[in-house]
Amino acid sequence: DQQVKQNSPSLSVQEGRISILNCDYTNSMFDYFLWYKKYPAEGPTFLISISSIKDKNEDGRFTVFLNKSAKHLSLHIVPSQPGDSAVYFCAASGNDMRFGAGTRLTVKP
Amino acid sequence: DAMVIQNPRYQVTQFGKPVTLSCSQTLNHNVMYWYQQKSSQAPKLLFHYYDKDFNNEADTPDNFQSRRPNTSFCFLDIRSPGLGDAAMYLCATSRGDRRGYQETQYFGPGTRLLVL
């Protein structure tokens, strides 16, 4: 059962533009959401998180938005840089942790 | 300053031949997790240890076992690997608490298992 879905397997943006990665979830018991970033040959690394009591969390170039009524969250990267090219995983937690399948972001110079 | 270490990075085994993957951590985290990730799929939690308490996911096959002899080390044993067990196996740690999974997880680089 895919409780966390990232419907776009890949995304390509130009350097300097905004990258928007999307994630949908089905379980209303999830109350904490995280984004992880993964480079080739490395494990996922934590990027940013948001609690369900908030609708926005910002950390430098990275902002996560949460729309609880739509069970949707998104990660905005602005401005995008070539070093941001990686696979981004969305994760949701409550009584357990579920991951999405990831979106491969490519930022072109 | 490696934090979560997985050995080996690549493991080749034969169909039905037991294999053990290892994970160690220098973070002194009380929770350790094992995930299986197949190509283009989400990491799937197999089980986790909260200190010495073992927590198995309901759909984890009996073929997969785990040991945690101390805080720093955790092993994944696959008793009789099948072709379908070929995947990336990720170990992760977190401080964790019994209320849920609201702690950041720190992942190792993974071990890619190939079953011949």
Side-chain angles (χ1 to χ4, degrees):
Chain A
D1 62 339
Q2 280 190 284
Q3 296 187 37
V4 179
K5 291 185 181 179
Q6 294 177 254
N7 291 319
S8 298
S10 64
L11 174 68
S12 181
V13 300
Q14 205 68 33
E15 180 179 8
R17 307 295 288 268
I18 185 171
S19 295
I20 300 176
L21 297 99
N22 294 302
C23 178
D24 297 291
Y25 62 97
T26 57
N27 188 342
S28 58
M29 297 301 291
F30 290 141
D31 58 3
Y32 195 71
F33 304 89
L34 309 94
W35 284 94
Y36 284 84
K37 175 179 179 180
K38 184 183 183 304
Y39 290 119
E42 297 182 12
T45 56
F46 170 74
L47 187 59
I48 193 169
S49 63
I50 187 167
S51 166
S52 61
I53 61 174
K54 295 185 175 182
D55 55 18
K56 177 183 175 181
N57 188 27
E58 191 172 352
D59 183 3
R61 297 185 297 113
F62 302 91
T63 303
V64 56
F65 294 92
L66 175 62
N67 182 333
K68 283 182 293 184
S69 61
K71 293 190 178 69
H72 177 85
L73 65 154
S74 61
L75 173 68
H76 293 209
I77 307 173
V78 57
S80 301
Q81 300 173 354
D84 296 329
S85 298
V87 177
Y88 289 79
F89 290 98
C90 165
S93 75
N95 291 323
D96 61 5
M97 173 84 82
R98 301 284 175 173
F99 282 82
T103 296
R104 181 177 300 278
L105 173 66
T106 303
V107 180
K108 297 180 178 178
Chain B
D1 58 344
M3 294 185 292
V4 183
I5 303 161
Q6 290 188 247
N7 285 308
R9 295 293 304 275
Y10 298 90
Q11 176 74 57
V12 181
T13 191
Q14 291 179 329
F15 182 93
K17 184 174 180 181
V19 66
T20 294
L21 309 182
S22 70
C23 177
S24 63
Q25 55 136 336
T26 59
L27 297 163
N28 203 35
H29 284 168
N30 58 320
V31 190
M32 294 187 77
Y33 310 80
W34 278 104
Y35 289 86
Q36 178 193 65
Q37 186 183 18
K38 297 188 177 179
S39 180
S40 301
Q41 295 184 21
K44 180 183 178 301
L45 182 64
L46 296 173
F47 26 59
H48 76 277
Y49 274 94
Y50 182 92
D51 292 324
K52 291 186 177 181
D53 293 338
F54 177 71
N55 298 270
N56 198 30
E57 293 297 298
D59 56 354
T60 298
D62 292 340
N63 197 26
F64 292 87
Q65 303 286 321
S66 186
R67 296 170 283 136
R68 189 178 185 186
N70 53 52
T71 300
S72 301
F73 286 87
C74 195
F75 300 99
L76 169 62
D77 301 308
I78 308 176
R79 293 192 297 187
S80 181
L83 298 178
D85 296 327
M88 175 71 81
Y89 290 87
L90 295 165
C91 173
T93 73
S94 72
R95 279 189 289 267
D97 62 48
R98 291 195 182 274
R99 293 170 296 175
Y101 294 74
Q102 296 202 359
E103 295 286 344
T104 300
Q105 295 186 19
Y106 294 81
F107 285 83
T111 294
R112 184 166 295 282
L113 178 68
L114 180 63
V115 181
L116 301 179

